[in-house]
Amino acid sequence: MCPQCQTRHDDWDHGGPDQEDAYAATVQLCIGCQVLADKQQSLARDRGEDIHGLKVALIPAAHAAALEVEREQQARHRRHGG
């Protein structure tokens, strides 16, 4: 089995041009994958080569908002000597 496409050699047409293959290639757009790739590209552009080890992940918007509030509170606390 191919580790990349997960098909077996025997799944493909070995009988000639008039026989159909067991698979057909299709193109699908995944918005999540597109958003991840866009974010990775912007990080690479903004940070240059300094993106090694950075992981881009999708999290629920409500969770992201809560994390942002928490970061702001921590920054405010540090600024005021807390």
Side-chain angles (χ1 to χ4, degrees):
M1 180 179 283
C2 175
Q4 186 170 345
C5 72
Q6 303 297 310
T7 65
R8 291 178 174 78
H9 180 74
D10 292 343
D11 292 340
W12 293 96
D13 178 10
H14 299 292
D18 58 338
Q19 291 186 347
E20 291 186 29
D21 289 328
Y23 297 93
T26 183
V27 176
Q28 296 177 336
L29 173 62
C30 173
I31 301 301
C33 290
Q34 182 181 26
V35 168
L36 289 172
D38 289 347
K39 184 62 173 179
Q40 288 170 329
Q41 187 176 34
S42 71
L43 282 172
R45 184 179 54 248
D46 296 345
R47 293 178 175 239
E49 293 293 318
D50 190 24
I51 62 169
H52 299 291
L54 290 179
K55 302 287 186 211
V56 178
L58 297 174
I59 61 173
H63 189 183
L67 289 172
E68 182 62 27
V69 168
E70 183 179 337
R71 282 189 212 108
E72 289 172 2
Q73 288 175 343
Q74 289 173 350
R76 197 173 316 123
H77 184 70
R78 283 191 300 271
R79 282 194 305 265
H80 291 85

